[in-house]
Amino acid sequence: MKKISYLLLAAALLTFSSCEKELDQSPISAGSVPTFYRTAEDFTQALNATYAQLRNYPDRELTLSETRSDNIYGVSTQGLRPWESINNFSTSIVANDYVGEAWSANYTGIFRANVLLEQLEKNGAVLPEAERARIGAEARFLRAFYYFNLVRYFGRVPLVDKPLSPQDVSAIGRSSVDEVYGLIVADLQAAGQQLPEVYTGTNVGRATKWAAKGLLARVYVTRSGPTYGIDGPGRGSNDYAAAFALCEEIIGSNRFQFLPNYADIFSYTNEGNKEVVFDIQYISGGVGLGASYPSILVTNNYFNSVVPNTSGFGTGDELRAASDNLLNTYPAGDLRKTQALQVGFTTGTAVETRAAFKKYLDVAKRGTTRTDWSINFIVLRYTDILLMKAECILKGGGSGDVDAIVTQVRRRGVPTAPAAAGITYEELMEERRREFVGEGLRWHDLVRSGNAVTIMNAWINADDTRGRIRKPITANDLLYPVPQSELSASAYSYPQNPGY
């Protein structure tokens, strides 16, 4: 069964390659596609190529969000690693590969979506009207997705809603965060109206109307967060009522389900389950379409501890261990901790006492290399919809029983947990931490909570036993810098984010 037909991507990527030669120098590519969009198949390939830019999203979130947060103590013991400067809040990361990739990969996706939307206007008559509308809605969903990633990490970014020439690119400045949100919201509202509720067969994995509405709810709660006095993702917009209405609509659709067994959500044999609102699709087998995210936080020693003498299967360059603070937040016997983390393991005579992230690892299901896992990455799931609803209620955006929602979530981890009573906003965010550990949400949750600076400084003081993390951090550290490559390409016309 799988999924969006990624086998079409090779041809699509070849088609786009001549259009992307300048992506390292500018936010979007120059180039044209005057001979490509002639048939319905051409549009399908182009749309699949736009989805293809999702491939590295999980890896990025595990580094720029999870590693940046209090969930991981990412201080290396074997020499400086490229992710360590992210963990350590270095102010010298303008040339960091992870930061540069986050900018360029998202803009590549935006460029592809813009080209596709333009060509639908020019040559879309080759498609039936319903298919044309669906493809356009998927392109708008993806463009919004990529822009939302950018605004959460960088704040103000260039706003580009059509393909541009190199001359035009050089004149584009960084737009306000509010302007970028305007495009994101408009795209997701349109997508939510035009996308189908469900797909079948090889189309499974494409964005549905529920994915668009769920992502828009996440946009609204993010935008509603405090500004910290910076040009970041929080705008203090008080969109909680709008987010609450979307969550209620998704819940009322009866398309999704709160799975009683936490491990079933992430099972290799239960992909596309009722918890999934939107996920990113992967195929293993050495065809170049597998996932790398399951193993980037661990090393080969972990695999040898599970299956002795595992050979030829290099994994992450060093263990990025779960923080002591994260381990201590779980109550005794919490099944979510057991699913997500392996606390200590032995390989031969080597004993590792730190905790490894194993949430997506099933050694029996490994592919040919560490970048060839078949497990899909869940970007948005039903439990998040429920907990966003609870967040909106606590912020005055709706009514309902927050304690009942949290009790349900807690008891999936600890069946005998007492019923929640008088849950506060801070307690809700900590419950989200336990529930979504290793899913790339923690940093974003911290920022929108308004407590990121306070919580992170307290955590650094308590957990940084090697004294490697810069402190104290300030609100400026809540954004990443504009990559050096983009500053150079714009002839330094982009203002750098403060603090870098």
Side-chain angles (χ1 to χ4, degrees):
M1 168 176 168
K2 277 224 184 192
K3 297 161 173 177
I4 299 174
S5 184
Y6 279 125
L7 297 180
L8 295 173
L9 289 180
L13 291 172
L14 285 173
T15 302
F16 275 96
S17 63
S18 63
C19 303
E20 295 180 0
K21 294 179 180 177
E22 300 189 28
L23 275 172
D24 290 337
Q25 290 78 43
S26 58
I28 65 167
S29 163
S32 61
V33 283
T35 62
F36 179 61
Y37 292 87
R38 299 282 183 83
T39 69
E41 184 67 11
D42 293 339
F43 281 97
T44 298
Q45 290 185 15
L47 178 59
N48 286 349
T50 310
Y51 274 101
Q53 284 304 114
L54 296 173
R55 184 177 180 189
N56 288 333
Y57 173 83
D59 306 60
R60 187 182 311 128
E61 296 304 292
L62 292 181
T63 296
L64 297 187
S65 176
E66 207 78 18
T67 300
R68 187 78 154 178
S69 79
D70 53 353
N71 278 359
I72 289 179
Y73 185 52
V75 172
S76 63
T77 61
Q78 304 169 14
L80 188 65
R81 304 296 183 180
W83 40 262
E84 187 174 359
S85 59
I86 302 295
N87 175 90
N88 292 351
F89 289 93
S90 170
T91 59
S92 303
I93 54 175
V94 293
N96 183 276
D97 288 344
Y98 291 108
V99 175
E101 189 274 342
W103 184 287
S104 63
N106 281 302
Y107 268 113
T108 300
I110 290 165
F111 168 72
R112 292 177 179 175
N114 283 339
V115 170
L116 181 52
L117 288 166
E118 181 183 71
Q119 292 301 316
L120 281 170
E121 289 293 322
K122 292 181 177 179
N123 299 309
V126 300
L127 298 166
E129 184 175 348
E131 186 176 0
R132 181 179 179 180
R134 176 186 59 78
I135 290 175
E138 288 184 74
R140 295 190 73 172
F141 170 88
L142 291 167
R143 182 170 66 179
F145 187 97
Y146 296 130
Y147 263 123
F148 186 44
N149 294 338
L150 287 166
V151 83
R152 288 198 292 181
Y153 284 128
F154 300 104
R156 295 172 57 213
V157 293
L159 183 61
V160 184
D161 60 0
K162 59 184 177 182
L164 296 177
S165 69
Q167 294 78 14
D168 292 329
V169 166
S170 64
I172 295 293
R174 296 174 71 189
S175 300
S176 72
V177 173
D178 291 332
E179 289 175 312
V180 178
Y181 269 131
L183 180 66
I184 292 169
V185 170
D187 276 352
L188 290 176
Q189 287 176 336
Q193 292 174 354
Q194 295 178 316
L195 287 170
E197 295 192 13
V198 66
Y199 293 96
T200 59
T202 59
N203 284 320
V204 170
R206 296 190 183 279
T208 65
K209 69 177 296 181
W210 308 118
K213 290 176 181 290
L215 183 58
L216 183 55
R218 183 177 284 177
V219 168
Y220 281 145
V221 295
T222 300
R223 191 169 69 171
S224 298
T227 68
Y228 295 89
I230 62 173
D231 286 324
R235 311 310 300 157
S237 59
N238 195 23
D239 290 317
Y240 294 110
F244 177 85
L246 289 165
C247 291
E248 284 284 79
E249 189 176 353
I250 294 168
I251 293 166
S253 73
N254 294 317
R255 290 278 182 186
F256 307 98
Q257 192 176 83
F258 184 86
L259 267 61
N261 185 347
Y262 189 74
D264 286 347
I265 301 170
F266 312 100
S267 170
Y268 281 70
T269 58
N270 196 35
E271 291 183 308
N273 59 70
K274 289 291 188 177
E275 181 88 17
V276 177
V277 180
F278 182 66
D279 62 0
I280 298 172
Q281 312 280 303
Y282 295 96
I283 302 171
S284 66
V287 295
L289 301 174
S292 55
Y293 76 89
S295 57
I296 65 171
L297 301 181
V298 300
T299 64
N300 204 42
N301 280 347
Y302 169 77
F303 289 95
N304 280 325
S305 75
V306 178
V307 181
N309 302 315
T310 301
S311 60
F313 195 74
T315 55
D317 51 9
E318 189 175 343
L319 182 70
R320 289 189 236 176
S323 71
D324 291 339
N325 180 274
L326 172 63
L327 297 176
N328 293 335
T329 194
Y330 285 98
D334 197 318
L335 299 175
R336 296 172 297 182
K337 179 180 180 181
T338 304
Q339 167 68 21
L341 301 166
Q342 175 68 45
V343 183
F345 52 89
T346 302
T347 307
T349 59
V351 178
E352 176 59 74
T353 60
R354 296 175 295 167
F357 284 83
K358 66 178 184 70
K359 191 167 192 171
Y360 309 101
L361 293 173
D362 182 343
V363 177
K365 302 290 186 181
R366 66 188 185 277
T368 57
T369 68
R370 72 178 183 87
T371 61
D372 192 39
W373 299 87
S374 66
I375 188 72
N376 297 341
F377 182 82
I378 305 174
V379 175
L380 181 64
R381 57 187 177 92
Y382 185 62
T383 304
D384 198 359
I385 302 300
L386 295 175
L387 291 177
M388 281 196 290
K389 174 184 173 179
E391 184 175 350
C392 294
I393 294 169
L394 290 174
K395 289 293 186 177
S399 61
D401 192 340
V402 171
D403 292 341
I405 294 172
V406 173
T407 297
Q408 182 183 29
V409 173
R410 283 184 177 174
R411 286 181 174 170
R412 184 164 59 187
V414 183
T416 58
I423 289 292
T424 66
Y425 180 77
E426 288 71 26
E427 289 171 333
L428 178 69
M429 299 311 281
E430 280 300 295
E431 197 62 49
R432 288 183 59 87
R433 183 188 189 188
R434 290 184 284 271
E435 175 69 19
F436 300 118
V437 63
E439 296 182 43
L441 297 183
R442 177 58 175 171
W443 177 253
H444 304 304
D445 283 358
L446 281 172
V447 172
R448 84 163 183 260
S449 76
N451 298 316
V453 174
T454 301
I455 288 175
M456 288 304 299
N457 277 325
W459 173 76
I460 292 167
N461 286 329
D463 270 29
D464 185 20
T465 56
R466 294 193 178 98
R468 302 268 282 276
I469 304 177
R470 181 176 61 81
K471 63 181 182 181
I473 70 164
T474 70
N476 288 337
D477 295 296
L478 304 184
L479 292 177
Y480 283 96
V482 177
Q484 182 62 46
S485 58
E486 302 305 324
L487 293 174
S488 301
S490 69
Y492 293 89
S493 63
Y494 291 168
Q496 181 56 278
N497 283 332
Y500 294 97

